[in-house]
């Protein structure tokens, strides 16, 4: 076993039914292969099978009319000659193919090898693209667009089973496009891992020679421009560099001019274009064609600027150093004395003629840019009108270059701008779908005409995908038009084994299909669907969305309007965009998961339903923030005496800690409320709890990291009184039965957690049919809205008392709540009811034991009138015990009250603040069993305190149970 590009490769023939030969046979017989074959080879086999290539006869076409003086051939000749010398005496077959897979040159380690091989392996002109020759070195290097190795039975054709090969793409050093493939073919027995290093260095040598030729061509163009000026008898004072003229251009103006000059060169047209400057002036750029002495064709762009004032001196330095790159060509130093000082610097986008030794040359893509210092002559004297005359107008060379080089450089700069824009546009939210949409919107139309993005279903839920090749959902379809037959958003996507999207998901690398009509794997998956698409799109890049080692999905970039297919540079750009977007999508996924967890915790800690009671008609809503879930909460608590309590609170902060703190506060608040504490005391207990939580939290260091606001209201339907207290919380809204809306001015009280400050209650009378609206600050506070305006809007919305609470909640959230809330919103609407006086019976009596029997008898008659005979026995015993305790241990006067609600409520009040306690009496005790008896007969019982004393109450079932 050997390794190639990090993948293990089995060598040799099959042994005992295993090995590459056996695996290939199984594949050709239609058996599935899950392991044993490299992914790149298996993908190629599948494409070959989809093309219908026969392995026993795959004859590649022959083309003998190729250009034998192509630039790649001239650059490769000395490299291949050296390789032939290195492998002299071996069975090495060295081939150079072009970007279509056609062999341009062949070299052999042994001369006799060329005579012994068939023409297909010895003569240039045969095309070894994968769609003609099956899996082979040249074809697979073009398909995978990287250094590859094919060994023995990994070839698809039968005739190549005894050979091995390595192939590497040769790229254009300026554009990054693949211009050809260098391939080594040799017997399997001559396998040597060092060949990968040799072929890679040889390919790089050819690329360097291509770059050197390009630089020489650009220098020739610059020489032609200079010579044209000399022949015309024009001095350098008529060719002042545009970026250093005496009128002084700003840096952004120079950048605009050089960019427009690169555009003119890339268009290969004679033109004159007016370019406005930032200060209101205008410069005319003129482009004209030119040909060097060696036949290099290009364009020069000059700037025509307004001339200086008649008395304004213009100085040009006289520099004597020779310009690098011109030494091979003799120059008349007297003819162009000042231009020879301009240094020429090579670069990947062309040559830049900088502004002399006093300033570093600016990088100018797409050609040769020229600039000349304005200063003094060699002798130090300024050059004035006596030296040069007046320039009106001034003309200056901006750039010279070849159109295709300018095009590459211009595209490269625009791609850098696109990447910079992508950094700002992608990831503005923490929403998975929106982030994917931002990737598509950034790429269209500057990179692609259509983009589809498919994400794994778990990713959309915030989970980590187990297998990114399954459960894919179409998440985004975006393009220059909306009528293309792409699968709709939300559709489940199932990619076949030969589809570029699945190949990119499997390999983790972008897959380029320059010509979709020749992409068999793409066509074979859904012939009817893809045929419809082929009427609009012609080129595809499939890119995996990978972040932190997790494959999230795939993005497909389609080209339609631009006739040029995607290339390697486009693939690299798409890969970079997808990589940046994948990180943002993964951040959004992680946030979605955390938010879902916090939201699940938050919802689990909020009330699951509403308690059954007749005092109010209640509806509520909880709306989480778009970004971070907070700690808003609400509660509805039935209390003794048919009363009901309402809580609305807000824990400071967001996230899991706030949600957990909210749960603790709500539980404590409910407990304090059920103990029948008045609202101000409930808030006092909650304040102490928050202080204790701060002290117990080691992270707080006693600084108080927990804070909360709260409003607690208790409504008594028998008196229609509502008692409220708030701790730094917004006041409620009260809607009268007539529709008048008010915001009562309640004592504010400090937020929970400050400690040491009292809470003051307030009482309101709520007529029957009134609405009490409680809410958290997320409803009315927003950094983009004025609170007073929102309150006026809320007042308008609530001024409809005929709406039921459910409808009121819906309208308030639809109308008043922010479209994109930054904070949680809790909303509770309660419509009050009055308790029917006919269901209340009251007796006042002094603390006289003799009156107990009279009150008991009156109560029994009342129960008979209410037709509650079954509850009479339990109620009689309960009342007897409670009244007796009040007479013996309390203080008069005493009030007895019966309330017929969902249960029969017995209440006995007195002016004493001493509460009885339930205890288990011993067998020898004469008393102490009264409250125990009450606890056994009643469903529940308790004590609540009033400003006048206390009330002992017990609830009995209406059926006596």
């Amino acid at each position: 076993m050997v390794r190639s590009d990090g993948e293990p490769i089995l060598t040799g023939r099959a042994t005992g039914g295993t090995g590459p030969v056996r695996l290939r046979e199984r594949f050709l017989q239609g058996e599935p292969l899950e392991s044993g074959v490299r992914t790149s080879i298996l993908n190629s086999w599948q494409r070959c099978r989809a093309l219908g290539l026969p392995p026993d006869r795959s004859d590649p076409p022959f083309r003998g009319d190729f250009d034998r003086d192509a630039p790649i051939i001239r650059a490769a000749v000395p490299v291949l000659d050296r390789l032939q010398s290195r492998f002299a005496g071996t069975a090495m077959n060295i081939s150079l193919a072009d970007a279509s897979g056609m062999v341009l040159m062949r070299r052999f380690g042994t001369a006799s090898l060329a005579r012994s091989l068939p023409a297909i392996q010895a003569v240039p002109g045969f095309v070894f693209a994968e769609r003609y020759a099956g899996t082979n070195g040249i074809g697979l290097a073009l398909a995978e667009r990287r250094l590859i190795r094919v060994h023995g039975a990994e070839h698809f054709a039968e005739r190549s089973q005894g050979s091995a090969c390595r192939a590497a793409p040769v790229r254009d050093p300026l554009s990054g496009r693949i211009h050809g493939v260098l391939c080594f073919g040799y017997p399997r027995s001559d396998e040597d891992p060092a060949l990968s290093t040799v072929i890679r260095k040889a390919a790089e040598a050819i690329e360097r020679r291509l770059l050197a030729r390009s630089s020489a061509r650009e220098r020739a163009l610059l020489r032609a421009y200079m010579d044209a000026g000399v022949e015309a008898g024009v001095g350098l004072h008529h060719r002042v560099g545009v970026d250093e003229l005496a009128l002084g251009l700003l840096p952004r103006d120079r950048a605009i001019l050089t960019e427009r000059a690169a555009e003119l060169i890339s268009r290969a047209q004679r033109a004159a274009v007016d370019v406005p400057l930032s200060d209101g002036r205008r410069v005319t750029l003129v482009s004209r064609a030119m040909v060097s002495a060696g036949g290099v064709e290009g364009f020069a762009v000059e700037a025509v600027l307004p001339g200086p004032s008649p008395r304004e001196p213009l100085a040009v330095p006289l520099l004597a150093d020779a310009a690098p790159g011109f030494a091979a060509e003799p120059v008349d130093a007297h003819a162009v004395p000042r231009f020879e000082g301009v240094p020429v610097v090579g670069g990947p986008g062309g040559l830049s003629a900088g502004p002399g030794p006093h300033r570093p040359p600016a990088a100018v893509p797409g050609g040769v840019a020229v600039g000349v210092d304005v200063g003094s002559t060699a002798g130090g004297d300024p050059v004035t009108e006596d030296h040069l005359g007046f320039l009106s107008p001034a003309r200056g060379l901006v750039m010279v270059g070849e159109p295709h080089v300018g095009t590459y450089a211009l595209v490269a700069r625009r791609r850098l701008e696109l990447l910079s824009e992508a950094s700002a546009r992608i990831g503005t939210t923490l929403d998975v779908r929106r982030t994917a949409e931002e990737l598509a919107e950034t790429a269209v139309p500057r990179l692609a005409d259509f983009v589809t993005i498919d994400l794994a279903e778990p990713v959309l839920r915030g989970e980590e995908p187990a297998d990114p090749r399954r459960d894919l959902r179409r998440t985004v379809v975006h393009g220059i038009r909306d009528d293309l037959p792409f699968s709709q958003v939300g559709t489940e996507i199932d990619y076949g084994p030969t589809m570029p999207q699945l190949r990119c998901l499997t390999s983790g690398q972008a897959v380029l299909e320059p010509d979709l009509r020749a992409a068999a794997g793409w066509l074979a998956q859904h012939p009817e669907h893809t045929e419809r698409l082929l009427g609009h799109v012609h080129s595809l890049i499939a890119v995996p969305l990978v972040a932190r080692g997790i494959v999230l999905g795939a993005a497909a970039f389609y080209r339609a309007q631009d006739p040029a297919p995607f290339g390697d540079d486009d693939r690299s750009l798409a890969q970079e965009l997808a990589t940046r977007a994948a990180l943002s999508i993964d951040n959004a996924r992680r946030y979605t998961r955390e938010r879902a967890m916090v939201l699940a915790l938050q919802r689990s800690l909020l009330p699951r339903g509403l308690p059954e009671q007749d005092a109010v008609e209640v509806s509520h809503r909880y709306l989480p923030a778009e970004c971070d879930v907070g700690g808003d909460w609400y509660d509805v608590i039935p209390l003794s005496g048919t009363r009901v309590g309402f809580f609305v609170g807000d824990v400071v902060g967001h996230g899991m800690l706030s949600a957990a703190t909210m749960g603790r506060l709500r539980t404590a608040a409910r407990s304090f409320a059920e103990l029948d504490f008045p609202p101000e005391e409930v808030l006092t207990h909650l304040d102490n709890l928050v202080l204790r939580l701060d002290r117990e939290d080691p992270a707080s260091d006693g600084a108080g990291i927990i804070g909360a606001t709260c409003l607690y209201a208790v409504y008594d339907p028998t008196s229609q009184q509502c008692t409220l207290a708030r701790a730094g919380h917004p006041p409620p809204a009260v809607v009268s039965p007539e529709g008048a809306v008010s915001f009562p001015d309640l004592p504010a009280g400090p937020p929970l957690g400050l400690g040491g400050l009292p809470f003051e209650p307030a009482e309101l009378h709520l007529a029957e049919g009134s609405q009490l609206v409680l809410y958290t600050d997320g409803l009315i506070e927003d950094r983009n809205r004025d609170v007073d305006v929102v309150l006026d809007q809320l007042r308008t919305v609530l001024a409809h008392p005929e709406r039921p609470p459910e409808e009121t909640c819906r309208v308030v959230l639809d109308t008043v709540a922010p479209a994109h809330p930054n904070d949680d919103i809790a909303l509770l609407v309660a419509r009050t009811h009055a308790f029917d006086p006919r269901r209340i019976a009251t007796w006042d009596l002094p603390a006289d034991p003799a009156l107990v029997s009279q009150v008991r008898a009156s109560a029994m008659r009342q129960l008979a009138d209410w037709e509650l005979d079954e509850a009479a026995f339990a109620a009689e015993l309960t009342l007897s015990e409670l009244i007796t305790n009040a007479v013996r241990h309390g203080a008069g006067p005493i009030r007895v009250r019966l309330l017929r609600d969902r249960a029969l409520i017995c209440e006995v009040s007195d002016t004493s603040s001493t509460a009885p306690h339930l205890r288990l009496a011993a067998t020898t005790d004469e008393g102490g069993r009264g409250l125990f008896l009450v606890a056994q007969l009643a469903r529940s019982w308790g004590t609540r305190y009033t400003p006048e004393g206390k009330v002992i109450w017990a609830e009995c079932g209406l059926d006596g149970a």
Side-chain angles (χ1 to χ4, degrees), residues 885 914-918 931 941 943 950 952:
N885 279 339
T914 303
H917 296 281
L918 178 66
L931 284 181
W941 73 279
T943 303
K950 67 175 182 298
I952 304 176

Side-chain angles (χ1 to χ4, degrees), residues 833-867:
H833 298 301
F835 201 84
D836 189 350
R838 293 172 297 178
R839 297 162 59 187
I840 304 175
T842 305
W843 297 272
D844 293 318
L845 66 154
D848 185 355
L851 300 177
V852 174
S853 59
Q854 297 178 14
V855 174
R856 184 169 61 239
S858 299
M860 293 305 100
R861 288 192 299 270
Q862 183 64 61
L863 293 180
D865 293 340
W866 285 344
E867 298 180 352

Side-chain angles (χ1 to χ4, degrees), residues 776-796:
T776 55
D777 57 2
L779 178 67
I780 60 173
E781 294 183 5
D782 184 80
R783 57 175 172 264
N784 299 319
R785 304 188 301 172
D786 184 82
V787 174
D788 293 333
V789 174
V790 177
L791 289 176
D792 289 339
Q793 189 178 10
L794 179 60
R795 178 181 285 106
T796 302

Side-chain angles (χ1 to χ4, degrees), residues 673-693:
E674 290 179 343
L675 290 174
D676 272 326
F677 291 138
E680 66 275 14
E681 291 190 23
V682 170
L683 295 183
T684 300
H685 288 297
L686 289 177
D687 187 40
N688 293 333
L689 173 65
V690 172
L691 287 171
R692 186 165 62 252
L693 293 177

Side-chain angles (χ1 to χ4, degrees), residues 496 498-505 511 513 516 519 521-522 540 542:
T498 60
M499 292 287 285
Q501 287 89 338
L502 187 64
R503 287 160 49 199
C504 82
L505 289 173
V511 174
E513 292 288 359
L516 284 176
W522 190 75
L540 165 68

Side-chain angles (χ1 to χ4, degrees), residues 49-340:
R49 182 166 61 186
L51 287 166
L53 295 178
D56 54 342
R57 56 176 185 82
S58 54
D59 299 326
F62 176 77
R63 301 171 186 167
D65 57 348
F66 60 88
D67 183 7
R68 299 180 184 275
D69 193 36
I72 190 172
I73 294 180
R74 295 198 305 270
V77 165
V79 179
L80 265 64
D81 289 343
R82 290 197 299 270
L83 290 174
Q84 184 178 23
S85 174
R86 172 169 182 163
F87 292 108
T90 68
M92 180 66 72
N93 182 349
I94 306 169
S95 304
L96 177 71
D98 65 10
S100 68
M102 181 177 63
V103 175
L104 304 175
M105 298 174 61
R106 287 197 181 271
R107 294 286 191 273
F108 301 95
T110 303
S112 60
L113 185 62
R115 297 188 293 270
S116 63
L117 291 175
I120 192 175
Q121 295 178 316
V123 179
F126 285 94
V127 181
F128 282 86
E130 188 181 67
R131 62 178 179 272
Y132 302 124
T135 307
N136 69 91
I138 294 174
L140 191 56
L142 289 173
E144 296 287 328
R145 313 185 79 79
R146 60 185 176 88
L147 173 63
I148 58 92
R149 179 187 182 283
V150 184
H151 182 84
E154 291 181 332
H155 289 88
F156 192 76
E158 297 283 359
R159 64 170 179 270
S160 302
Q161 300 298 294
S163 302
C165 64
R166 294 178 189 265
V170 177
R171 303 177 185 273
D172 185 291
L174 294 173
S175 67
R177 298 178 184 270
I178 292 180
H179 275 202
V181 176
L182 181 63
C183 181
F184 291 175
Y186 46 89
R188 291 189 308 173
S189 57
D190 292 350
E191 178 62 54
D192 185 353
L195 290 176
S196 291
T197 303
V198 175
I199 195 171
R200 183 182 291 110
K201 290 184 176 180
E204 292 173 353
I206 298 175
E207 292 172 351
R208 286 195 299 271
R209 290 182 58 80
L210 285 171
L211 176 62
R213 293 185 59 82
S214 176
S215 300
R217 294 167 67 90
E218 289 174 337
R219 287 196 297 269
L221 286 174
L222 182 59
R223 169 59 55 191
Y225 177 83
M226 294 165 52
D227 291 344
V230 173
E231 293 172 3
V234 181
L236 182 62
H237 54 281
H238 284 284
R239 299 192 174 281
V240 179
V242 68
D243 58 342
E244 295 294 340
L245 287 172
L247 59 158
L249 297 178
L250 296 175
R252 61 176 176 270
D253 291 331
R254 289 197 294 269
I256 291 173
L257 290 176
T258 54
E259 182 173 357
R260 294 301 300 273
E263 291 179 358
L264 290 174
I265 292 176
S266 66
R267 293 173 183 171
Q269 293 179 345
R270 296 188 62 180
V273 178
D274 281 343
V275 181
L277 301 181
S278 59
D279 58 2
R281 292 176 296 176
R282 306 183 71 85
V283 174
T284 302
L285 293 181
V286 180
S287 65
R288 59 185 178 88
M290 54 186 300
V291 181
S292 72
V296 180
E297 298 180 356
F299 276 78
V301 178
E302 294 176 311
V304 180
L305 298 145
S309 64
R311 310 306 304 173
E312 181 181 358
L314 178 67
V316 180
L318 179 63
L319 304 174
D321 295 337
F326 295 163
E329 302 182 26
V331 179
D332 185 355
H334 298 286
V336 283
R338 295 176 178 83
F339 202 178
E340 287 297 288

